[in-house]
Amino acid sequence: MQVENVGGITETTVELTPGITILTGRNATNRTSLMQAIMAVLGSDSVSLKGDADEGYVELSVGGTTYTRTLRRKDGTVVTSGDPYLKDATLADLFAFLLETNDARQAVVRDDDLRETIMEPVDTTDIEAEIDRLRSRRDSLDDELEKISQVKQRLPDLEQERVEIEDEIAEKRNRLAELEAEIADVDESVDEKREEKEAFEEKIDELNKVRSQLESVRRQIDSQRESLNALREEREELEADREDYKDLPDGRLDGVKAEIQRLRDKKTGIDSTVDELQTVVQFNQDLLDGNLDLLADLGDRDDDTNGGADLTEQLLEDGEDLVCWTCGNETDTTQVETMLDDLRSLRNEYMEQRSDLDDRIDELNEERRQIEEKQRQHRQIDDRLAAVEDEIEEREARVEELTDRKADLTGEVEHLESKVEKLQTDDDQEELLDLHTEANRLEVEIDRLETDLQRVEDEIEEIEARGDDREEIEQRRDEVQAEIEELRTRVERLEEEAVAQFNDHMESVLEILDYENLERIWIEQTEDIVRQDRKNVTENRYDLHVVRKADSGTIYEDTIDHLSESEREVTGLVFALAGYLVHDVHEEVPFMLLDSIEAIDAPRIAALVDYFEAHAEHLVVALLTEDARVLDDDYQRITNI
């Protein structure tokens, strides 16, 4: 790995082997700066540029692939570019890069909301939106299954109707055959001139055709009126549905979008402020840790003849004065530490503001989504209503046209019947006319019945086909429901798994580290009833319990505030490890970094490092020389950065 101008590093090249790598040395040996360089090339923005440089660079090769990160100073802030290992380092920043300011560690130190920290990477808003989408899909499949059930109930009736129609058709065909035989007999017995007979039969044929047309027009009118009734019912339903959207606030969507943009701009400003504060905090922390390059520069400006190295020794002595990097005057290290605490508090206040802004932006985005969805549904209703109105007008015009056609055909039938009557010359011809009339009526009825039979058979076939699809639809519905359940329980499972991971590993670590009279540290998941959006909702909470054993052997519960610094640091690290395992961070990034653990005594550090090694491919630990001596000599050590 190559590093230029990161933290206190001017330039260095190091090689990190799999397993444990120990960055060892006294203070002011750029161990934390190397940690920051690793974080930067892995994708984190929690990194500081060297104080006297305008640009820094980190390059890392892993598995034959090279990753890069460039840092540039611009308008008082540090901007990054390049091709880092991670596109989004949120998980790694929370649970893999365990430096002193790590949020997971600090959540325990500050007694913050531990559940909120564990669940921070989970976008519950997106999960709820996905659940809503899947519910709509499931409801649609339920509707489809319900329709299949309803139409399937009609199958016995349709099959019975088919049998009845087939029987009626057969009956009428038999009667038609009888009529055709009678017509043939009567036709042979008619004794008249050929011309008169042909004229008579021609008029009968013409009359039969017009009667068939008249019957067809009547059926079309009935069909159009049925469709009109259905369309008018749909229009009433659509008009009722449209009433549900009449109260949509005009301009509300624009107002919500404008407010979202305003809050995002405000959040961007807060992000910039937090970054600047982090840079100042980190720079001063590096100064307190004894940044060699900076101290050497200050030593050159000092009137004394001591070299940079001597000045480093002076500045690292407890209780000694420190040279202020801004004005060059001496100041007590305690004052700088106090100032750093104030800056950290200010940074935390801004981070809380940012969190509140995120919550408000999420609320407004949900409101925007609901308004847009209502507007979309309103437009759909309006579009469908307009289409229905157009179709009603078209069908009403068609009914009027068919009614006129019916009147014309009725008049034509009456006219032809009159002509046929005039052509009749005897009883045989009158009988022949009656037979033709009845035969024509039967043909029309048979034609109608065959149309009805085809309709019934098509409906039966469709129902049977939909019945065949039912199994597939039920399977899709089960899959959607399973997705809903998985999403519903995802947050709950993560919460429960985080508690289980912490409690299991905390128990194992405490057993290994053997703290005197510290019996157990564990998290209990409890529920709170809170007011949200004008209603009471249940929220989960993590309660951290500390159990001690008195000299008398009595077991009692203590508070977090009474944990020693060492116990608190261990608890914070184990809590971060729980998040690392719950969110499968090892699948995202192969590195875990440990820094600022000097509050833990050396033997326990060695045991803790050995414990953490099992969970990360690369475990990089920054240790003082005396603490590093206790660790296995086989571990890689980097002493010159």
Side-chain angles (χ1 to χ4, degrees):
M1 184 175 78
Q2 299 178 7
V3 184
E4 296 178 9
N5 296 329
V6 175
I9 298 174
T10 300
E11 184 177 1
T12 191
T13 300
V14 297
E15 182 177 351
L16 303 173
T17 59
I20 295 177
T21 298
I22 308 298
L23 310 182
T24 181
R26 303 187 60 185
N27 284 323
T29 52
N30 289 327
R31 291 168 299 149
T32 300
S33 295
L34 185 59
M35 291 272 196
Q36 286 189 6
I38 296 172
M39 290 166 56
V41 76
L42 292 177
S44 175
D45 291 327
S46 299
V47 58
S48 61
L49 189 59
K50 194 170 184 292
D52 59 355
D54 292 326
E55 182 174 315
Y57 178 78
V58 187
E59 180 180 299
L60 174 68
S61 294
V62 178
T65 303
T66 299
Y67 304 94
T68 62
R69 200 79 183 280
T70 299
L71 295 76
R72 291 185 178 87
R73 204 179 304 280
K74 182 179 180 182
D75 299 330
T77 62
V78 175
V79 296
T80 59
S81 60
D83 185 21
Y85 190 91
L86 298 172
K87 300 304 180 185
D88 182 359
T90 301
L91 280 175
D93 277 331
L94 269 173
F95 304 118
F97 303 154
L98 307 184
L99 277 61
E100 181 184 18
T101 57
N102 172 264
D103 285 342
R105 289 177 63 177
Q106 290 300 311
V108 173
V109 173
R110 297 191 300 258
D111 194 17
D112 289 345
D113 186 339
L114 300 182
R115 177 194 170 277
E116 182 178 343
T117 302
I118 281 288
M119 300 309 296
E120 182 177 337
V122 181
D123 192 334
T124 55
T125 301
D126 278 356
I127 289 177
E128 289 299 327
E130 180 65 8
I131 287 175
D132 288 343
R133 187 191 69 80
L134 289 171
R135 280 174 177 163
S136 297
R137 176 59 179 153
R138 180 197 60 190
D139 293 344
S140 175
L141 292 171
D142 283 340
D143 290 343
E144 195 168 348
L145 289 171
E146 179 63 24
K147 289 177 182 177
I148 291 175
S149 297
Q150 290 175 355
V151 298
K152 199 168 184 179
Q153 291 175 1
R154 296 190 61 239
L155 195 57
D157 293 338
L158 288 170
E159 290 174 341
Q160 178 63 31
E161 184 179 357
R162 177 173 61 181
V163 171
E164 292 173 355
I165 292 174
E166 288 174 341
D167 290 345
E168 191 173 356
I169 289 175
E171 181 182 344
K172 291 185 181 298
R173 285 192 182 281
N174 290 334
R175 176 56 185 155
L176 180 60
E178 293 174 359
L179 286 172
E180 288 173 345
E182 291 181 33
I183 289 171
D185 292 341
V186 173
D187 192 39
E188 290 178 0
S189 66
V190 173
D191 185 14
E192 62 182 353
K193 294 179 180 180
R194 177 61 56 187
E195 293 81 1
E196 293 176 351
K197 179 181 178 183
E198 289 178 353
F200 179 73
E201 291 179 346
E202 182 181 339
K203 286 300 176 185
I204 288 179
D205 290 341
E206 187 177 353
L207 176 59
N208 289 338
K209 289 179 181 178
V210 174
R211 281 173 174 168
S212 296
Q213 293 175 13
L214 179 58
E215 182 64 24
S216 175
V217 168
R218 285 171 178 161
R219 289 202 306 271
Q220 291 181 53
I221 291 174
D222 290 341
S223 176
Q224 291 293 335
R225 284 174 175 166
E226 287 178 5
S227 298
L228 271 172
N229 290 334
L231 287 168
R232 286 165 181 155
E233 289 178 2
E234 184 179 359
R235 179 174 62 185
E236 290 179 3
E237 293 174 359
L238 289 169
E239 288 173 343
D241 291 341
R242 187 170 60 176
E243 286 295 308
D244 296 337
Y245 296 94
K246 68 180 181 180
D247 295 329
L248 281 177
D250 293 336
R252 176 57 182 164
L253 181 60
D254 291 338
V256 169
K257 289 181 176 178
E259 180 65 5
I260 290 173
Q261 187 57 51
R262 185 186 70 81
L263 293 177
R264 283 175 174 167
D265 292 342
K266 185 176 181 181
K267 180 175 176 287
T268 299
I270 290 177
D271 287 340
S272 178
T273 302
V274 169
D275 290 341
E276 291 173 1
L277 286 171
Q278 178 62 32
T279 299
V280 173
V281 168
Q282 190 61 54
F283 191 81
N284 281 276
Q285 188 63 56
D286 289 343
L287 181 60
L288 285 177
D289 290 343
N291 185 307
L292 280 177
D293 291 337
L294 177 60
L295 295 173
D297 293 341
L298 292 173
D300 292 340
R301 285 165 30 202
D302 199 285
D303 292 335
D304 296 335
T305 58
N306 292 334
D310 292 335
L311 182 57
T312 299
E313 297 296 330
Q314 295 171 21
L315 294 177
L316 294 177
E317 292 293 331
D318 292 338
E320 292 293 331
D321 288 341
L322 184 70
V323 177
C324 176
W325 60 275
T326 57
C327 64
N329 295 325
E330 291 186 351
T331 182
D332 189 88
T333 56
T334 304
Q335 291 180 331
V336 177
E337 291 171 348
T338 301
M339 181 269 291
L340 279 176
D341 290 338
D342 292 340
L343 288 175
R344 289 190 180 105
S345 297
L346 181 60
R347 180 196 60 189
N348 292 337
E349 290 177 7
Y350 276 112
M351 291 176 70
E352 289 178 3
Q353 292 181 28
R354 181 172 63 184
S355 178
D356 292 340
L357 286 174
D358 283 335
D359 292 341
R360 180 57 181 155
I361 289 171
D362 288 342
E363 292 174 3
L364 289 171
N365 276 325
E366 177 62 20
E367 182 179 356
R368 174 188 57 78
R369 187 190 67 78
Q370 292 177 358
I371 293 174
E372 289 177 340
E373 177 63 19
K374 286 183 177 180
Q375 289 181 339
R376 183 187 65 79
Q377 293 175 355
H378 188 258
R379 286 194 300 270
Q380 285 182 338
I381 291 173
D382 283 345
D383 292 344
R384 179 55 187 162
L385 191 57
V388 168
E389 291 283 5
D390 291 342
E391 191 171 353
I392 287 175
E393 290 181 6
E394 291 175 3
R395 290 188 181 274
E396 285 176 342
R398 180 60 177 158
V399 168
E400 185 176 350
E401 177 186 335
L402 289 170
T403 302
D404 293 341
R405 175 64 175 157
K406 174 185 172 185
D408 293 342
L409 289 171
T410 301
E412 190 174 350
V413 166
E414 293 173 352
H415 175 69
L416 289 171
E417 285 177 344
S418 175
K419 283 191 173 184
V420 168
E421 287 178 4
K422 291 179 181 179
L423 290 172
Q424 291 178 209
T425 58
D426 54 31
D427 292 340
D428 285 341
Q429 288 181 336
E430 184 176 354
E431 182 184 1
L432 186 61
L433 174 62
D434 291 340
L435 290 172
H436 274 289
T437 300
E438 186 177 358
N440 176 255
R441 180 182 59 79
L442 285 173
E443 287 175 345
V444 170
E445 289 181 358
I446 290 172
D447 181 62
R448 176 183 59 80
L449 288 170
E450 287 178 339
T451 300
D452 290 343
L453 179 62
Q454 185 62 51
R455 173 185 56 80
V456 170
E457 289 179 338
D458 289 344
E459 194 168 352
I460 290 174
E461 184 178 350
E462 180 182 354
I463 290 173
E464 290 174 343
R466 295 185 70 179
D468 294 338
D469 294 338
R470 183 182 184 91
E471 184 176 348
E472 180 185 350
I473 295 172
E474 287 177 339
Q475 181 178 351
R476 293 207 307 269
R477 197 263 184 203
D478 291 342
E479 291 171 354
V480 170
Q481 182 62 32
E483 288 186 62
I484 292 174
E485 293 301 323
E486 194 279 331
L487 288 172
R488 279 177 177 168
T489 59
R490 179 182 299 176
V491 173
E492 182 179 342
R493 285 188 290 103
L494 284 173
E495 291 174 344
E496 293 175 351
E497 186 181 350
V499 170
Q501 290 280 8
F502 176 84
N503 290 340
D504 290 346
H505 288 290
M506 197 73 227
E507 181 180 2
S508 299
V509 168
L510 288 181
E511 183 178 350
I512 293 171
L513 301 188
D514 192 24
Y515 279 100
E516 185 178 355
N517 88 343
L518 185 56
E519 191 73 10
R520 184 186 180 200
I521 298 177
W522 61 290
I523 288 177
E524 177 186 19
Q525 185 171 339
T526 59
E527 293 182 348
D528 278 343
I529 304 297
V530 298
R531 192 73 174 169
Q532 188 178 92
D533 295 334
R534 301 180 182 177
K535 62 181 179 180
N536 292 330
V537 297
T538 301
E539 283 190 353
N540 291 335
R541 187 183 75 244
Y542 287 173
D543 291 334
L544 186 64
H545 296 276
V546 178
V547 179
R548 293 191 183 276
K549 179 187 288 188
D551 293 339
S552 62
T554 302
I555 301 296
Y556 65 96
E557 184 158 344
D558 204 352
T559 65
I560 302 173
D561 295 336
H562 293 163
L563 288 174
S564 68
E565 188 177 2
S566 174
E567 293 167 345
R568 194 179 293 255
E569 289 292 348
V570 168
T571 304
L573 289 171
V574 173
F575 179 68
L577 177 62
Y580 181 89
L581 297 174
V582 164
H583 292 288
D584 297 321
V585 183
H586 67 281
E587 297 179 358
E588 299 286 331
V589 59
F591 285 84
M592 178 182 282
L593 312 179
L594 297 181
D595 190 19
S596 301
I597 56 176
E598 291 82 3
I600 308 171
D601 58 277
R604 289 192 173 107
I605 288 177
L608 195 64
V609 168
D610 288 341
Y611 190 85
F612 271 61
E613 180 190 13
H615 305 290
E617 181 179 346
H618 293 270
L619 179 63
V620 183
V621 187
L623 294 176
L624 294 172
T625 304
E626 53 270 25
D627 291 334
R629 291 194 188 102
V630 183
L631 273 73
D632 195 318
D633 291 336
D634 292 337
Y635 295 154
Q636 180 189 13
R637 280 170 166 75
I638 296 176
T639 58
N640 184 22
I641 300 174

